[in-house]
Amino acid sequence: MKRTSRVKSKILVVDIGGSHVKCKMTGRRNHIEFVSGPKMTPGEMMNEITKITVGWGFDAVSIGYPGVVRKGKIVRDPFNLAPGWIGFDFPAAFGRPVKIINDAAMQALGAYKGQKMLFLGLGTGLGSALIVDGMIAAMELGHLRSGPKRTYEDLVSEKARLRLGNKKWRKKVWEVVERFRNALLPDYIVLGGGNVRHLKRLPSDTRLGGNADALTGGFRLWEDGV
Amino acid sequence: MKRTSRVKSKILVVDIGGSHVKCKMTGRRNHIEFVSGPKMTPGEMMNEITKITVGWGFDAVSIGYPGVVRKGKIVRDPFNLAPGWIGFDFPAAFGRPVKIINDAAMQALGAYKGQKMLFLGLGTGLGSALIVDGMIAAMELGHLRSGPKRTYEDLVSEKARLRLGNKKWRKKVWEVVERFRNALLPDYIVLGGGNVRHLKRLPSDTRLGGNADALTGGFRLWEDGV
């Protein structure tokens, strides 16, 4: 990886999800989370974070954002939150340097063990990222159409799981994993996201991401100057 | 990019296609090509190349191979040629160091101008590769299913063009380009392959690859130690 940034010692990692926002910091054992949802604006999120992190004394911030980020800038409002995210000045709001990355990409970075890795995040939707020799490519593979009426995300989302039941949903997950494996040719696949708990077995060359991946990814953003 | 290989001065680039094999060398103005096809084995190809390149005096070889290559090794026989490619000892056959890469990836490397680039090759089939900050990821996006009976390749292949006619085929190409743009989020897309001559206009942030891209990519393989 390129090493272009000064290593920061105390990083606050903010992992923004459709149902909760998680805040974690270097050296603190537990994370703190609060409820997000379709009405949360970035300003409201910042109010919560400011309250929570009083006295935490961090030097820099990593944000995992559930939407499209290009060159460190949010370029689309998120599906599951209120609008107003494009152009919001996070460095000013935090008073510290901030790096923003797609949430699946941040988790992928935390799970990365070299070579060519495909990350698929099974949650409300289907997150995705590819890392090639340390270089991260955030993706939205879930939005690719898999048929006349459905996207790949529609096959394995939380909605699909509730509609199909766990058994059929698991079958779909395997199918989608194999399709993406054949299309993107990774050396291995990491499955993350809350819904991995509903999986039983794993396809070959596939492993589960860990709970701490987003945190680890947020730290690595500053270590490695991604 | 990583620079791990000694720069070789005279490179022979062998671009293996389903209808022709092209041989080009540093400093030679023209390439020489010969017919390939579903009966060509690697041994037969080597016989032709040996005849053609008498007196060319090259130091190293780059091969663009129309199939899956993993860590410099051919792992699947090609769709459009005879079998026998997996495990074939090209360095022994050439008596020189050889680097093998997927053909679309080699062309992509030749067209690459930085950042995150998606390459789509419109030929007999649909080739694809992504380059992220200099790191190449060969892909087989064309083999992803776009519906119950078709893959993305089926929508824009040469067969599709002959079936649909140029006008409808061009519409499909635009559609597939936009789908992959939204799924892989590249900074720009390069369209290569013989069938780009049937395109009229280009989508935004999209440009045409050049005829010399495969050659340039073959040279870069040795410059940059990919």
Side-chain angles (χ1 to χ4, degrees):
Chain A
M1 289 188 205
K2 291 181 296 182
R3 296 181 175 269
T4 51
S5 306
R6 216 180 113 237
V7 172
K8 301 281 177 183
S9 52
K10 291 187 108 182
I11 311 294
L12 172 69
V13 179
V14 179
D15 187 12
I16 310 174
S19 62
H20 290 85
V21 176
K22 292 179 188 167
C23 296
K24 308 172 181 186
M25 201 187 71
T26 323
R28 289 186 78 93
R29 198 165 167 183
N30 299 314
H31 72 264
I32 296 184
E33 62 180 46
F34 58 89
V35 170
S36 59
K39 291 185 181 169
M40 188 180 76
T41 64
E44 282 157 15
M45 183 184 81
M46 284 307 304
N47 287 343
E48 285 296 321
I49 293 175
T50 308
K51 279 187 250 167
I52 286 172
T53 59
V54 168
W56 282 25
F58 48 91
D59 306 311
V61 182
S62 294
I63 297 178
Y65 171 82
V68 180
V69 178
R70 199 175 279 279
K71 298 183 213 309
K73 304 278 178 207
I74 291 172
V75 296
R76 277 189 224 159
D77 273 322
F79 270 108
N80 305 312
L81 306 172
W85 298 77
I86 301 168
F88 186 88
D89 192 346
F90 286 103
F94 278 106
R96 292 164 177 90
V98 174
K99 292 193 181 186
I100 305 177
I101 185 174
N102 171 266
D103 58 344
M106 188 163 85
Q107 225 178 315
L109 184 59
Y112 185 61
K113 306 257 190 249
Q115 303 185 77
K116 183 175 171 184
M117 181 191 94
L118 175 63
F119 175 88
L120 296 173
L122 298 165
T124 314
L126 173 63
S128 54
L130 188 77
I131 305 189
V132 191
D133 294 329
M135 297 301 171
I136 308 173
M139 296 189 164
E140 295 284 352
L141 295 176
H143 296 168
L144 261 182
R145 270 169 63 174
S146 62
K149 288 179 190 170
R150 287 195 201 281
T151 64
Y152 281 93
E153 182 166 277
D154 293 334
L155 300 174
V156 297
S157 64
E158 171 62 4
K159 230 169 146 181
R161 194 181 68 81
L162 295 173
R163 189 181 68 237
L164 297 169
N166 279 339
K167 201 177 162 187
K168 283 187 186 165
W169 174 82
R170 277 195 287 265
K171 221 178 137 186
K172 286 288 171 196
V173 170
W174 273 63
E175 208 182 302
V176 168
V177 164
E178 291 317 311
R179 298 250 191 102
F180 284 147
R181 189 199 304 281
N182 289 326
L184 281 89
L185 308 171
D187 294 310
Y188 59 106
I189 293 175
V190 172
L191 296 178
N195 274 350
V196 294
R197 69 180 182 277
H198 301 297
L199 294 174
K200 282 188 167 171
R201 295 175 308 127
L202 287 177
S204 64
D205 293 322
T206 303
R207 61 182 186 78
L208 290 184
N211 284 332
D213 286 346
L215 179 64
T216 309
F219 293 155
R220 284 191 178 167
L221 271 186
W222 285 97
E223 284 168 15
D224 296 319
V226 178
Chain B
M1 291 190 201
K2 291 180 297 186
R3 297 185 174 265
T4 53
S5 306
R6 219 182 111 237
V7 173
K8 301 282 178 182
S9 53
K10 290 187 109 181
I11 312 294
L12 173 68
V13 180
V14 179
D15 188 12
I16 309 174
S19 62
H20 290 85
V21 175
K22 291 179 189 169
C23 297
K24 307 172 182 189
M25 201 185 73
T26 324
R28 289 187 77 93
R29 199 167 166 183
N30 298 315
H31 72 266
I32 296 185
E33 63 181 46
F34 58 90
V35 170
S36 59
K39 291 186 178 167
M40 187 180 75
T41 63
E44 283 158 14
M45 183 184 79
M46 284 308 304
N47 288 343
E48 285 296 322
I49 293 176
T50 308
K51 276 187 251 165
I52 285 172
T53 60
V54 167
W56 283 22
F58 48 92
D59 305 312
V61 182
S62 294
I63 297 179
Y65 171 81
V68 181
V69 177
R70 199 175 278 279
K71 296 183 214 310
K73 305 278 177 204
I74 292 172
V75 297
R76 278 189 224 157
D77 274 322
F79 270 108
N80 303 315
L81 306 171
W85 297 77
I86 301 168
F88 187 88
D89 192 345
F90 286 103
F94 278 105
R96 290 163 178 91
V98 174
K99 290 192 181 187
I100 305 177
I101 186 173
N102 170 265
D103 57 346
M106 187 163 86
Q107 225 178 316
L109 184 59
Y112 185 60
K113 308 257 189 249
Q115 304 186 75
K116 183 174 172 185
M117 181 191 94
L118 175 63
F119 174 88
L120 296 174
L122 298 165
T124 314
L126 173 64
S128 54
L130 187 78
I131 306 189
V132 192
D133 293 329
M135 297 301 171
I136 308 173
M139 296 189 163
E140 294 285 351
L141 295 176
H143 296 169
L144 263 182
R145 271 167 63 174
S146 62
K149 289 181 188 167
R150 288 195 201 280
T151 64
Y152 282 93
E153 180 165 281
D154 294 334
L155 300 174
V156 297
S157 64
E158 171 62 3
K159 231 170 144 179
R161 194 182 67 82
L162 296 174
R163 189 181 68 238
L164 298 170
N166 279 341
K167 200 176 163 187
K168 283 187 184 165
W169 175 83
R170 276 195 287 265
K171 221 177 136 187
K172 287 287 171 196
V173 170
W174 273 63
E175 207 181 302
V176 168
V177 164
E178 291 317 311
R179 298 252 192 100
F180 286 146
R181 189 198 305 280
N182 288 326
L184 281 89
L185 308 172
D187 294 308
Y188 59 106
I189 293 176
V190 172
L191 296 177
N195 274 350
V196 293
R197 70 179 182 276
H198 301 297
L199 294 175
K200 282 189 168 169
R201 294 174 309 129
L202 286 177
S204 65
D205 292 323
T206 303
R207 59 181 186 80
L208 289 184
N211 284 333
D213 285 346
L215 178 64
T216 308
F219 293 155
R220 285 190 177 168
L221 270 187
W222 285 98
E223 282 167 17
D224 296 319
V226 178

